[in-house]
């Protein structure tokens, strides 16, 4: 997916946030998130968006580069392991890391995405606070 395609899906989801429900479950080393929709036309977008975002970041792509938190999580993306499971009405995503600092980012990101789902455009226009006591992992050559 292109940067434009990834952002278009994000916008579509934000605009239709009223039909979306999201649950964040903290697990050791990360989170399990369950995102569902009552709108059948949103199911394919919900299922493809996290996968496309993962691929986009894996290729060094940027998201929300005006938001320092998202710049940081993009930098640490290679330390994040993601698995995706389609549900009838949405998707389950498990995001984990062996680095405790990156786990803080994963959790903060999960709650930020829940804000997008709950509050739509209002949340999308706000920058994201860094997790408390976050220390960027050492030895990044980027």
């Amino acid at each position: 997916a292109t940067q434009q395609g990834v952002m278009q899906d994000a916008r579509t989801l934000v605009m239709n946030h009223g039909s979306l429900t999201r649950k964040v479950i903290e697990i050791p080393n990360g989170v399990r998130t369950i995102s569902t929709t009552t709108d059948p036309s949103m199911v394919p977008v919900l299922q493809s968006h996290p996968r496309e975002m993962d691929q986009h970041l894996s290729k060094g792509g940027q998201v929300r580069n005006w938001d320092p938190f998202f710049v940081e999580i993009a930098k640490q993306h290679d330390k994040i392991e993601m698995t995706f499971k389609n549900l009838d009405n949405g998707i389950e995503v498990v995001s984990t890391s062996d680095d405790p600092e990156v786990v803080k980012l994963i959790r903060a990101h999960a709650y930020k995405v829940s804000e997008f789902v709950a509050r739509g455009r209002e949340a999308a226009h706000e920058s994201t606070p860094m997790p408390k006591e976050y220390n960027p992992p050492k030895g990044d050559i980027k």
Side-chain angles (χ1 to χ4, degrees):
T2 62
Q3 167 103 12
Q4 213 166 357
V6 169
M7 294 323 292
Q8 188 54 55
D9 277 356
R11 268 194 296 273
T12 301
L13 290 168
V14 165
M15 299 302 281
N16 292 276
H17 75 99
S19 77
L20 308 177
T21 306
R22 196 174 139 82
K23 193 158 69 173
V24 176
I25 300 136
E26 293 196 10
I27 58 172
N29 295 345
V31 294
R32 186 159 66 96
T33 62
I34 298 165
S35 304
T36 56
T37 178
T38 52
D39 178 348
S41 73
M42 283 290 108
V43 173
V45 186
L46 208 49
Q47 291 177 343
S48 66
H49 179 64
R51 290 180 168 95
E52 287 178 351
M53 197 60 91
D54 183 37
Q55 287 167 351
H56 177 67
L57 292 171
S58 297
K59 297 184 193 126
Q62 286 281 310
V63 212
R64 291 172 64 88
N65 50 9
W66 53 271
D67 185 338
F69 173 83
F70 276 79
V71 171
E72 183 61 25
I73 202 165
K75 263 190 215 153
Q76 305 300 339
H77 185 73
D78 58 348
K79 298 191 180 81
I80 300 172
E81 188 64 45
M82 296 179 80
T83 61
F84 308 94
K85 186 172 101 190
N86 285 352
L87 309 170
D88 291 343
N89 57 348
I91 189 167
E92 179 184 281
V93 181
V94 175
S95 306
T96 54
S97 177
D98 295 333
D99 187 314
E101 292 303 319
V102 178
V103 171
K104 293 177 191 174
L105 293 178
I106 289 171
R107 290 185 175 150
H109 173 267
Y111 292 117
K112 178 64 178 192
V113 173
S114 293
E115 286 283 303
F116 295 158
V117 167
R119 295 175 29 244
R121 289 170 75 171
E122 187 189 340
H125 290 298
E126 298 164 357
S127 65
T128 313
M130 281 291 175
K132 287 181 183 52
E133 286 106 49
Y134 173 70
N135 297 300
K138 302 282 178 279
D140 285 342
I141 318 164
K142 286 226 162 97

